[in-house]
């Protein structure tokens, strides 16, 4: 059986920050919109964000360990606003 993939549905990231810190970073700095999770997943503690077609799910971890070869890149239309961060 052959498959043809159209796109990636979402990225799932772990964060060493609290949910409030992660929420502030994604919504106030990166300007993502927080998305309400389905009721069946609401108790797992993850945050969901969207910007256009990009979907990112963020979970916080108490004992966060940085992965050495895990890299995500977001392409920006206008990066001049990053100078103000």
């Amino acid at each position: 059986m052959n498959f043809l993939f159209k796109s990636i549905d979402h990225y799932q990231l772990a964060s060493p920050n609290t949910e409030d810190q992660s929420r502030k970073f994604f919504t106030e700095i990166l300007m993502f919109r927080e998305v309400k999770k389905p009721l069946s997943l609401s108790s797992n503690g993850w945050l969901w964000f969207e910007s256009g077609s990009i979907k990112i799910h963020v979970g916080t971890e108490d004992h966060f360990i940085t992965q050495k070869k895990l890299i995500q890149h977001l392409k920006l239309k206008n990066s001049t606003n990053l100078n103000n961060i």
Side-chain angles (χ1 to χ4, degrees):
M1 182 181 298
N2 293 326
F3 294 98
L4 178 61
F5 294 96
K6 296 188 314 183
S7 65
I8 294 174
D9 180 69
H10 69 273
Y11 296 93
Q12 185 166 313
L13 307 175
S15 171
N17 299 316
T18 65
E19 283 193 2
D20 287 339
Q21 291 169 322
S22 295
R23 181 178 287 112
K24 182 175 182 172
F25 176 73
F26 278 93
T27 60
E28 295 179 20
I29 295 174
L30 296 183
M31 303 305 291
F32 274 70
R33 173 176 66 90
E34 187 171 0
V35 178
K36 187 174 181 177
K37 296 183 292 186
L39 187 58
S40 62
L41 300 174
S42 63
S43 65
N44 71 2
W46 287 74
L47 301 170
W48 289 13
F49 302 98
E50 291 183 1
S51 178
S53 63
I54 299 171
K55 300 175 186 176
I56 298 178
H57 299 177
V58 179
T60 61
E61 295 185 5
D62 291 335
H63 304 288
F64 180 82
I65 299 172
T66 302
Q67 299 297 313
K68 293 179 181 178
K69 296 184 179 184
L70 183 61
I71 301 170
Q72 291 80 29
H73 297 270
L74 299 173
K75 290 184 179 182
L76 304 174
K77 282 187 176 182
N78 182 356
S79 62
T80 57
N81 293 335
L82 290 177
N83 294 330
N84 298 325
I85 297 177

